[in-house]
Amino acid sequence: MEGKVLVVDDDSYVIESCGKVLVPEGFLVRAVTDGHEAMEIFFCDTYDVVFINYEKIHNDGSNLVRWLHRKYPDTCVVAVVDTNHEFVKTEGILDYLTKPFSLEILLQTTKRAFYLSKQFAPSIKKEIKTAQYVDKLGELAIIVNKYKGKPAMLLEVLRQAQALIGYLPEEVQKIISKGLKIPVSEIHSVVSFYPSFTMKPRGRHHIKVCMGPACIAKKAETLLKNLTAGLNLQDSDITEDMRFSYEKVFCVGACSDAPVMEIDDDSHTRVEVDKVDEILKAYN
Amino acid sequence: MSKITIDELMKIKEQALKLKAEKKAVLMLCAGSSCSKRDGLKIKAIVEEELKARGILDTVLVGINGCSGLCEHGPILQIYPEGYFYEKVKPDYIPEIIEEHVIKGNIVEKYMYNDPTTKKPIPKIEDIPTYKLQSKRVLQNRTKIDPTSIDDYIAQDGYRGAIEAITNKSPMDVIGIIKDAALRGRGGSGFPTGTKWEIAAYSVPPANLNGSKYVICNAGAISRAIMEIDPHSIIEGMIIAGYAIGAHTGYIYIREPEHKSLIQLMEKALKGATKYGLLGKNILNTTFSFNIELFIGAGTFICGEETALIASIEGKRGYPTPKPPYPATRGLWNCPTVVDNGETFANVPQIILKGAQWFKTLGTDDSSGTKLFTLTGPLQFNGLVEVPFGVSLKSMVYDISGGLRKGSKLKAVQIGGPTGAFLPPSSIEMPLTYGDIKQHESIVGSSGIIVLDQNTCIVNAVRLAMTFGVAESCGKCVPCRIGTTLMLGKLTDITEGKATENDMQILEDIAIEVKRTSLCGFGRTIVLPLLSAMKHFKEEFYAHIHDKWCKAGVCKTLSTFTIDGQSCKGCTSCARKCPVSAISGERKKPHSINQSLCIRCRTCYETCTFNAIKIGHAAWYDPSLASAQTSKEENQ
């Protein structure tokens, strides 16, 4: 048996599709129509994942969520919401499933939620439940699981985690700490040491301007000036629309091709300092 | 695939050569990063289409090669068997080149590279003066092979060295040959490679780790350049090293995860070698097994230091550890580990194949073989060059790089990358060998040669080098962590005109102490730019301190720009370029600069073709104090 799923919904479509998709995958599925019933069931048996229709529940869905969060922190709650519904991230809800959904998405969401319920200690879960990147946590769990108990793979895990989420906030480091069995202080020390890792969010495109001696000799300072002026940046290192962020780096090791500017995975070598704007146009 | 035998390997070689020989022509496009950016690969598709349209695609082979080094003239198209090349190829050149060259056999001179002095076309890359003066060993396959193809490498006698070592020689023989060849580590410190391997071969790993030893390739800037051109040469060198010391695992450590295309290239190369059974279990049906993994770091310069690199592979903060124990006795996971630069490994296969005596035909007694350097600065040619050890710095700057650009005068040369010393023009006769470079108090380091002209302020250059030091100091040991910050503070004071003569002494004291007490090579060398500049360019420091005058006009608070009325022809070009409109004056009459508006950006100085812009000392400074200072010195 993979795990136990409880569906709290009066929509027969949701209940039927859960049964159709999840039972063959080895999940035990049980469905109830209101919150009271759900609570009663929880007195006899606990469930790993709870799908809950956030609006239609008679007993005010948020009550049940709060109750589960308090009493059964290991249970992962997924809210089933309608399209275009502007949901507010509520404490206790770890993931969302938007109706109508395809059967694959249902299965994916369930597996992700199942990972989350099994992987993380309640204390971490409480913090991450409200985080911005909550929808990426399932994939993160898969990465961490792959390298479970291998502390030597820390750099690899951190790199993949950053590629997934874009940066490495404290909560993510705690998740990795748990999976790899390394104290979180040590993880923080590694994250803060290597310049490739960042704890600050980055723009959609991240620009690195090399400030090595060879690049300086080839007018990297003018390049930087043109860049910040072109992006209308004063003191901040990220544009308001989150399109670009930039940082100065020291010697990327391409001295023969100075000056060098790197945007995401592309490195722009021998940049003509007056034509920075044209390079940026290609990135949206 | 089953294990490859030597015969099979020779068959692959013959086939690869035959494939090329059968074709009427082989067209190779440079796929280096610079050419790729100028649509070099798009041109490949256009070439193929054009050939197809003419129905001769079967008789011609279209391939790619790694960076040819002529980045400023890219995209480059080479046509074999003659090896002629066309520069700055544009899509509309293609039909004519194919019609004339490939079909009729006439070269198209107008698209060829012209010699800058004689203005005559040079049809072959190796005939370009800068290439003629270089030697080709590590880069022997430059422009010849497709870096993504293992068959191409085998066709150039690739993996013959590894086979020779594994099948015909004992590990001790291999170490003996490397020792005879006097190969020294190309990573900078120049430790004899053979000795390092010998120590690792005789060292015993901890009992619980069951005979593990490791070979690590430290892929710095030069190694990465080699990888882009000829990745298998490094892999082959690592296999031989693994065989010599008895290791079964190798790592290629690439510091920067940003080099995605290079990482893919290496992954492909490793896959190719594994497929042919040159990596893996029981290589060539012997008992020797060896695997190589790529390890991608997360930035930081310090992880080029071998103990820090090892810590990084172990998943820790990249802190160096005290030596001894050296990695050769106790390295990765406390096992004997050989850490070498990629360039060192790339030298090994040829030494095994051609012998130690052949290797020593180039270079000096102290430093045998060739060395790769990157040349940067206001030069005719910038980029990667390979020269025998013992070539003088003068020949590097004036011959191989084609000399300085028009209007540039040599002021200083920084050897050894960001932590190397600044040398004055008087040191230019020095031969480039490990011994001589050390004698001039510099390092081979990351093999960068940066040429600086009169537009550089040495004090500012030292300050920037120190900024690098502050940013990259790992922070483990106190002298380096605090020393670099203190020195940067003092240097900033000098460039801002706040320093006194006493500060020079303090700077020197700190620098010497940092050099003496730092834990690793980074701290010991980060002071070299400062110490060398203070020795060779003392007057420039004093001009900043006493006269408040940055003669190059780089330090903004210490310079004033004025227009010399007699030289100014009133061409208005400076006035048009001035970003703050501080320059005024009538056409054909001398202009003047409004000092209260001037931001000292140097634009006018760089624009003026008549040398009419003069750089004076800081306007806020009373020169009578300076003369008082000078007379005081004279009196003493």
Side-chain angles (χ1 to χ4, degrees):
Chain A
M1 188 182 64
E2 276 269 351
K4 290 188 280 186
V5 179
L6 181 67
V7 186
V8 189
D9 205 327
D10 51 5
D11 186 343
S12 61
Y13 170 75
V14 176
I15 298 170
E16 271 171 31
S17 36
C18 280
K20 209 156 52 183
V21 176
L22 301 178
V23 174
E25 289 287 322
F27 287 98
L28 186 91
V29 181
R30 180 142 189 201
V32 291
T33 47
D34 74 31
H36 278 303
E37 225 177 310
M39 286 184 190
E40 276 164 28
I41 280 180
F42 255 85
F43 283 122
C44 326
D45 196 2
T46 55
Y47 287 79
D48 304 309
V49 180
V50 174
F51 282 101
I52 174 164
N53 188 317
Y54 198 54
E55 296 134 48
K56 288 185 188 161
I57 296 298
H58 300 309
N59 184 22
D60 181 8
S62 57
N63 262 349
L64 175 65
V65 173
R66 271 199 294 275
W67 180 80
L68 281 173
H69 183 51
R70 206 172 53 244
K71 284 240 173 191
Y72 301 94
D74 278 343
T75 300
C76 178
V77 179
V78 181
V80 181
V81 292
D82 281 326
T83 337
N84 303 330
H85 171 74
E86 292 224 348
F87 49 77
V88 188
K89 293 225 157 81
T90 317
E91 193 187 27
I93 293 181
L94 205 50
D95 208 348
Y96 293 84
L97 186 63
T98 316
K99 279 201 293 191
F101 47 82
S102 72
L103 298 182
E104 287 107 76
I105 289 185
L106 173 63
L107 183 62
Q108 260 176 29
T109 314
T110 314
K111 283 190 170 169
R112 207 155 66 192
F114 185 68
Y115 264 121
L116 292 174
S117 79
K118 285 285 161 221
Q119 290 286 314
F120 308 134
S123 61
I124 300 175
K125 231 190 300 183
K126 198 176 161 191
E127 287 170 31
I128 58 177
K129 272 178 182 173
T130 50
Q132 294 289 319
Y133 41 85
V134 72
D135 50 328
K136 304 258 176 67
L137 287 173
E139 282 169 70
L140 177 68
I142 295 169
I143 295 171
V144 173
N145 211 33
K146 197 168 145 198
Y147 298 103
K148 207 171 176 176
K150 290 182 189 160
M153 300 310 288
L154 178 59
L155 260 67
E156 182 67 33
V157 174
L158 288 174
R159 210 179 56 250
Q160 291 186 17
Q162 183 162 303
L164 179 73
I165 293 167
Y167 65 116
L168 296 168
E170 221 176 294
E171 294 75 30
V172 169
Q173 294 178 33
K174 283 183 185 164
I175 293 167
I176 295 171
S177 153
K178 176 120 194 333
L180 268 68
K181 299 208 168 25
I182 306 172
V184 71
S185 59
E186 218 163 275
I187 292 185
H188 180 84
S189 94
V190 169
V191 169
S192 57
F193 182 79
Y194 292 98
S196 292
F197 299 134
T198 172
M199 287 173 68
K200 278 199 288 187
R202 283 183 174 175
R204 288 200 300 285
H205 303 290
H206 189 67
I207 305 168
K208 288 178 190 165
V209 184
C210 179
M211 287 280 142
C215 288
I216 295 267
K218 290 265 183 178
K219 298 196 180 157
E221 281 169 326
T222 321
L223 193 155
L224 191 70
K225 213 169 69 191
N226 291 350
L227 179 77
T228 48
L231 294 177
N232 210 359
L233 291 168
Q234 273 86 36
D235 299 325
S236 104
D237 51 7
I238 185 162
T239 55
E240 263 174 36
D241 57 358
M242 302 284 279
R243 184 171 155 210
F244 288 110
S245 53
Y246 86 97
E247 70 176 319
K248 294 189 248 179
V249 292
F250 284 97
C251 202
V252 295
C255 301
S256 55
D257 293 323
V260 182
M261 177 168 88
E262 291 179 339
I263 305 181
D264 300 340
D265 297 340
D266 312 334
S267 76
H268 296 266
T269 51
R270 302 188 187 221
V271 176
E272 292 171 47
V273 290
D274 301 329
K275 294 190 178 160
V276 179
D277 288 357
E278 282 170 34
I279 297 173
L280 295 183
K281 269 181 203 158
Y283 298 88
N284 276 307
Chain B
M1 192 177 155
S2 61
K3 298 281 163 275
I4 199 164
T5 61
I6 300 158
D7 296 340
E8 277 167 353
L9 201 79
M10 296 312 287
K11 232 179 260 168
I12 294 169
K13 177 185 169 180
E14 272 161 33
Q15 265 171 10
L17 287 176
K18 211 170 114 193
L19 188 71
K20 282 191 179 165
E22 274 174 358
K23 302 282 179 182
K24 191 173 172 201
V26 181
L27 272 64
M28 286 179 104
L29 276 144
C30 178
S33 50
S34 179
C35 285
S36 307
K37 222 149 274 146
R38 297 182 193 178
D39 295 337
L41 294 177
K42 216 197 260 167
I43 286 175
K44 185 178 176 223
I46 295 169
V47 168
E48 277 168 352
E49 243 167 57
E50 184 68 32
L51 290 168
K52 213 177 195 175
R54 287 164 194 267
I56 50 168
L57 189 56
D58 333 330
T59 60
V60 178
L61 193 74
V62 186
I64 53 167
N65 60 267
C67 181
S68 52
L70 283 168
C71 299
E72 275 160 29
H73 299 273
I76 304 276
L77 168 67
Q78 291 184 88
I79 301 182
Y80 284 92
E82 302 94 341
Y84 292 165
F85 82 103
Y86 295 97
E87 62 158 1
K88 297 179 185 164
V89 177
K90 294 205 176 76
D92 40 326
Y93 294 2
I94 302 292
E96 196 177 341
I97 292 176
I98 289 177
E99 174 71 34
E100 286 296 321
H101 191 138
V102 180
I103 297 176
K104 292 185 186 156
N106 307 322
I107 54 171
V108 193
E109 280 192 4
K110 60 181 170 181
Y111 300 145
M112 283 188 159
Y113 173 83
N114 286 328
D115 189 293
T117 45
T118 61
K119 304 284 173 210
K120 278 189 181 156
I122 300 177
K124 284 187 181 183
I125 290 183
E126 32 304 12
D127 293 337
I128 296 174
T130 170
Y131 283 90
K132 257 189 180 165
L133 293 164
Q134 293 181 39
S135 39
K136 277 190 149 195
R137 279 194 176 176
V138 171
L139 299 180
Q140 59 173 349
N141 293 332
R142 191 181 202 175
T143 73
K144 278 191 201 149
I145 67 165
D146 174 356
T148 60
S149 158
I150 184 170
D151 288 2
D152 265 18
Y153 181 66
I154 291 172
Q156 304 287 341
D157 279 340
Y159 287 109
R160 284 262 312 278
I163 291 165
E164 174 73 19
I166 295 169
T167 53
N168 288 339
K169 293 192 162 63
S170 74
M172 282 306 133
D173 288 347
V174 173
I175 291 172
I177 294 170
I178 301 295
K179 277 177 92 173
D180 279 348
L183 175 67
R184 295 175 68 170
R186 262 47 174 165
S189 59
F191 191 80
T193 306
T195 314
K196 192 193 276 181
W197 290 13
E198 194 174 28
I199 297 169
Y202 283 121
S203 298
V204 183
N208 57 340
L209 288 165
N210 211 7
S212 304
K213 290 182 185 179
Y214 298 95
V215 175
I216 299 175
C217 167
N218 183 356
I222 296 275
S223 315
R224 287 199 305 271
I226 299 173
M227 284 176 188
E228 274 185 9
I229 294 165
D230 195 1
H232 287 282
S233 63
I234 292 177
I235 296 175
E236 187 180 355
M238 289 178 73
I239 295 172
I240 297 170
Y243 176 71
I245 69 161
H248 300 299
T249 313
Y251 288 98
I252 296 176
Y253 186 94
I254 297 177
R255 282 207 299 270
E256 292 87 355
E258 292 84 11
H259 300 290
K260 290 260 161 70
S261 59
L262 180 76
I263 292 165
Q264 280 165 5
L265 179 70
M266 278 323 276
E267 273 169 359
K268 193 173 175 192
L270 289 173
K271 228 178 248 168
T274 315
K275 193 180 151 211
Y276 279 164
L278 294 159
L279 285 175
K281 271 195 177 155
N282 300 20
I283 296 168
L284 300 162
N285 295 320
T286 60
T287 52
F288 172 59
S289 304
F290 191 67
N291 256 318
I292 297 179
E293 282 172 38
L294 268 186
F295 191 95
I296 316 300
T300 115
F301 189 77
I302 194 70
C303 284
E305 205 280 340
E306 51 183 1
T307 55
L309 184 155
I310 286 169
S312 175
I313 294 184
E314 288 175 354
K316 296 185 212 146
R317 223 177 147 105
Y319 271 164
T321 50
K323 292 191 271 190
Y326 288 91
T329 51
R330 229 181 281 164
L332 187 61
W333 312 116
N334 271 334
C335 298
T337 306
V338 160
V339 185
D340 269 321
N341 188 281
E343 192 187 342
T344 318
F345 285 124
N347 270 303
V348 169
Q350 294 180 55
I351 297 176
I352 300 292
L353 204 58
K354 297 176 186 167
Q357 288 313 317
W358 167 83
F359 186 72
K360 284 203 266 191
T361 51
L362 285 183
T364 63
D365 291 346
D366 158 65
S367 321
S368 51
T370 59
K371 179 79 192 80
L372 273 65
F373 288 98
T374 49
L375 278 168
T376 328
L379 301 164
Q380 300 287 354
F381 174 85
N382 275 258
L384 185 71
V385 297
E386 181 174 7
V387 290
F389 270 114
V391 162
S392 74
L393 188 55
K394 189 176 178 180
S395 129
M396 276 296 244
V397 174
Y398 288 104
D399 305 333
I400 292 166
S401 73
L404 277 82
R405 289 200 185 141
K406 213 178 139 196
S408 285
K409 230 179 89 201
L410 181 70
K411 183 170 185 180
V413 182
Q414 189 184 15
I415 296 187
T419 59
F422 290 102
L423 300 178
S426 57
S427 307
I428 197 130
E429 299 289 345
M430 121 194 197
L432 292 168
T433 66
Y434 285 109
D436 288 287
I437 292 175
K438 200 174 171 192
Q439 220 173 22
H440 282 79
E441 287 166 3
S442 191
I443 48 165
V444 178
S446 56
S447 312
I449 294 184
I450 301 174
V451 176
L452 305 171
D453 66 2
Q454 76 281 7
N455 288 324
T456 317
C457 166
I458 293 289
V459 182
N460 192 50
V462 173
R463 188 181 67 84
L464 290 169
M466 200 54 78
T467 317
F468 175 80
V470 170
E472 293 295 340
S473 171
C474 76
K476 181 172 180 173
C477 72
V478 178
C480 177
R481 182 182 68 234
I482 296 175
T484 48
T485 308
L486 286 177
M487 287 186 284
L488 178 63
K490 289 281 173 220
L491 285 164
T492 312
D493 281 354
I494 296 179
T495 55
E496 288 174 357
K498 295 179 197 155
T500 60
E501 184 165 0
N502 194 23
D503 287 332
M504 285 290 278
Q505 191 57 46
I506 297 174
L507 257 180
E508 197 177 343
D509 289 348
I510 300 174
I512 290 170
E513 210 56 25
V514 169
K515 189 179 178 188
R516 200 172 63 85
T517 54
S518 283
L519 175 65
C520 77
F522 183 79
R524 286 198 286 270
T525 55
I526 190 62
V527 297
L528 294 180
L530 173 64
L531 285 172
S532 61
M534 282 172 71
K535 188 173 162 193
H536 302 300
F537 300 93
K538 209 167 196 162
E539 321 79 58
E540 202 163 333
F541 279 87
Y542 283 128
H544 280 71
I545 294 172
H546 295 324
D547 306 335
K548 311 292 175 201
W549 188 7
C550 175
K551 287 180 183 167
V554 174
C555 304
K556 287 192 170 29
T557 36
L558 300 184
S559 45
T560 315
F561 291 83
T562 47
I563 295 176
D564 174 16
Q566 288 188 325
S567 316
C568 181
K569 302 272 184 273
C571 71
T572 73
S573 68
C574 58
R576 270 179 281 137
K577 284 240 172 125
C578 181
V580 288
S581 307
I583 303 176
S584 56
E586 277 176 50
R587 229 183 133 74
K588 304 219 167 153
K589 280 186 188 157
H591 285 43
S592 65
I593 301 177
N594 181 346
Q595 294 301 333
S596 60
L597 289 176
C598 178
I599 53 166
R600 295 173 282 278
C601 64
R602 259 178 135 258
T603 308
C604 52
Y605 183 79
E606 280 161 27
T607 311
C608 186
T609 45
F610 305 103
N611 267 336
I613 312 277
K614 302 288 172 211
I615 299 167
H617 63 77
W620 50 267
Y621 181 64
D622 182 1
S624 61
L625 290 170
S627 49
Q629 184 78 38
T630 329
S631 54
K632 204 173 110 195
E633 267 172 28
E634 276 164 9
N635 290 341
Q636 282 170 353

